[in-house]
Amino acid sequence: MSADAMQQPRGAHGRAPNVLRKGGWVSMREYPLDDEVDFVIVGTGAGGATLACRLAEQGFTVVALDAGAWWRPLEEFASDEAHQKKLYWNDERICDGENPLKMGSNNSGKAVGGSTVHFAMVSLRFRPQWFKCRSVLGYGADWPLDWREMWHYYDEVEQALSIAGPINYPWGPPRKRYPYRAHELNASARVLARGAEAMGIAWTPTPLATVSAPRGKSPPCVYRGFCAAGCATNAKQSALVTWIPRAVKAGAEIRDLAMAGRIETNDAGRAVGVEYFRDGQWNFQRARNVVVAGYAIETPRLLLLSANHRFPDGLANSSGLVGKNLMVQSNQAVWGVMDEDIRSYKGPPSLSITEHWNYEDKGKDFFGGYAYLSQGPLPAGWASTQNGRGLWGNALAREMQKYNHQAGLKIVGETLPQERNQVTLADEKDHYGLAIPRITYSFCDNDKKLIAHSLNFMQQALDAAGGKEIWRQEDDTCHLNGTARMGADPRTSVVNADCRSWDIPNLWICDGSVFPTVGGVNPSLTIQAIACRTADRIGVLAMRGEL
């Protein structure tokens, strides 16, 4: 490697972004702009970071762009909810539909590592039948993937992240034991356990991507409770501290503060690189392959922004489905006051879970499923939740006095894919001069039935656990997926099973936007498993000369 290639680019605050790994600091390779790299990847979250790592480790030259900063948690994260808003994608978006979405902290991240830097670390596998839910369960759309193959990649990701979980997981086919022991339950988690047992259903400690014992440079979790605002100790096994260091060690370059604005294509209809804004000017990175991994809003936005005379409706959009079938997950909750001291902020937010209604199909008047988890809101977030139910001033102050006795149960619920739920381009422009995304969302009748079922069941469970003054939070959502679905037919999907565009053979999409259905579990583990599979498939295609 030449001396020039080893020069360090500017990090988030003008420092060289060396990466700390066991044994010392690793320098990052830097590619000149006129180099045609094998892959330029837009986004370094669960999909992009994982893929960058696995491709670089196969020997491909990789440049990964991220619109956010490359933070150093030990130095730059604070135990301050307002300060940590720097991790969220808070750029302007226009939201409409019958149920306009609340964007920001619970949906996406703007930092190297993406939303994994501030996610709640819940790491769950899809129910096997969900990969063929149209054929087997009668709703949604089938995935072009086999659950047994995905089980192999789930194993790989769980090992890579050192997931801490129970010895025996109560649902689904047998699996390998989690690498690290489950975390101790806090009082909030025990409330869920009591309620589940009273209702006659199984529960378990939640599999979490934060270590319960030392791992390399990561200390064990100290249960400080700021997980969803960014872990300041590096116990959280986010993409920032797992896949990114491996990618850099293998020769990938990570360019932070680089906002992608357009993918260019040539006269042959192939992608040739990405135009991005950095250091006050537009730059262009040439590449033999382009990967879009910006998640369910920014991925379709970039594809639509890249329209040209050959692709007037945007890239990869011959099906007309780019931006369509946006799926959130319902995130409603029930809350109550307990006699005992709860202090639910002590520890990760969701230390216990039940997936009963993901795997039980009897007793439902809806398609799909949901899990529900114990909760641990921080004070400012909890005050905002109270504002959402109309409490201000003295009424808010009185309610906040109950904070340490509050317990909650909250779902991650499946919603159905609907073409009317979509991302399009608005007429308004942002500070880069790019069209702002318009996000249109409405629940369907099935979604509403699932939500009603979950609220009724959780209320009964919380009451059985000793909850008082129980009330329902009915308007929350989380986790965005869909908008560039994978499938077996180019007429009804955007990419194939390998995450390769049907229309442009060297354009790939590798993030939660490829999900045909969303399931009733947090998506990050599945996104990373898909990225690992895509990397392996790219390696096979390269050996065959089919890239």
Side-chain angles (χ1 to χ4, degrees), residues 87-390:
L87 300 179
Y88 310 146
W89 195 297
N90 289 316
D91 291 17
E92 185 178 359
R93 287 148 168 187
I94 297 172
C95 298
D96 60 18
E98 296 172 14
N99 305 100
L101 301 180
K102 298 176 183 178
M103 304 300 294
S105 61
N106 67 334
N107 290 313
S108 54
K110 193 172 188 180
V112 172
S115 59
T116 71
V117 181
H118 64 84
F119 77 149
M121 308 167 299
V122 176
S123 301
L124 304 173
R125 301 184 180 199
F126 264 41
R127 174 182 172 180
Q129 291 89 338
W130 288 343
F131 291 104
K132 293 291 182 283
C133 64
R134 168 57 65 182
S135 301
V136 176
L137 299 174
Y139 74 94
D142 286 348
W143 293 55
L145 301 174
D146 185 88
W147 76 266
R148 287 156 292 202
E149 184 183 21
M150 288 298 292
W151 234 243
H152 162 75
Y153 288 109
Y154 281 136
D155 285 341
E156 178 180 342
V157 175
E158 287 168 355
Q159 292 295 321
L161 302 184
S162 294
I163 299 298
I167 295 174
N168 296 304
Y169 197 71
W171 303 281
R175 61 186 71 185
K176 291 182 179 179
R177 183 172 175 177
Y178 288 106
Y180 277 46
R181 65 165 176 81
H183 292 275
E184 297 295 325
L185 301 183
N186 61 6
S188 181
R190 291 194 292 271
V191 169
L192 181 145
R194 289 202 306 270
E197 290 170 2
M199 298 294 288
I201 65 172
W203 66 276
T204 190
T206 308
L208 295 174
T210 182
V211 288
S212 56
R215 182 201 186 196
K217 296 291 183 181
S218 291
C221 180
V222 296
Y223 308 121
R224 56 191 288 275
F226 269 79
C227 318
C231 176
T233 70
N234 279 341
K236 176 187 287 192
Q237 300 301 285
S238 66
L240 177 64
V241 301
T242 54
W243 301 111
I244 293 292
R246 281 176 54 181
V248 170
K249 183 181 180 182
E253 180 189 350
I254 311 297
R255 291 184 194 158
D256 69 342
L257 302 174
M259 176 64 185
R262 185 175 182 83
I263 300 167
E264 293 291 347
T265 60
N266 61 16
D267 291 339
R270 293 179 67 89
V272 295
V274 176
E275 187 179 22
Y276 65 96
F277 192 84
R278 194 184 197 218
D279 292 329
Q281 63 183 11
W282 288 97
N283 305 279
F284 186 75
Q285 176 60 57
R286 298 171 61 225
R288 298 178 186 88
N289 294 270
V290 173
V291 181
V292 187
Y295 207 27
I297 305 302
E298 292 303 313
T299 284
R301 180 192 186 194
L302 180 59
L303 296 172
L304 296 173
L305 284 170
S306 301
N308 56 41
H309 70 280
R310 188 182 183 95
F311 302 104
D313 297 320
L315 304 188
N317 200 22
S318 63
S319 65
L321 292 177
V322 168
K324 303 290 182 63
N325 296 300
L326 173 66
M327 294 169 287
V328 298
Q329 286 178 314
S330 47
N331 202 212
Q332 286 70 23
V334 297
W335 302 94
V337 176
M338 312 300 292
D339 288 335
E340 70 268 32
D341 214 18
I342 298 296
R343 298 185 183 271
S344 60
Y345 57 86
K346 289 184 175 291
S350 298
L351 281 165
S352 63
I353 184 174
T354 176
E355 279 203 71
H356 175 81
W357 290 110
N358 274 332
Y359 284 82
E360 178 56 68
D361 294 319
K362 297 178 182 178
K364 293 177 178 176
D365 62 349
F366 57 89
F367 290 113
Y370 64 87
Y372 69 80
L373 305 95
S374 59
Q375 292 299 294
L378 294 174
W382 183 240
S384 179
T385 299
Q386 300 307 315
N387 296 155
R389 61 191 288 226

Side-chain angles (χ1 to χ4, degrees), residues 522-533:
N522 306 53
S524 64
L525 195 75
T526 300
I527 294 171
Q528 291 169 85
I530 289 171
C532 288
R533 182 190 183 277

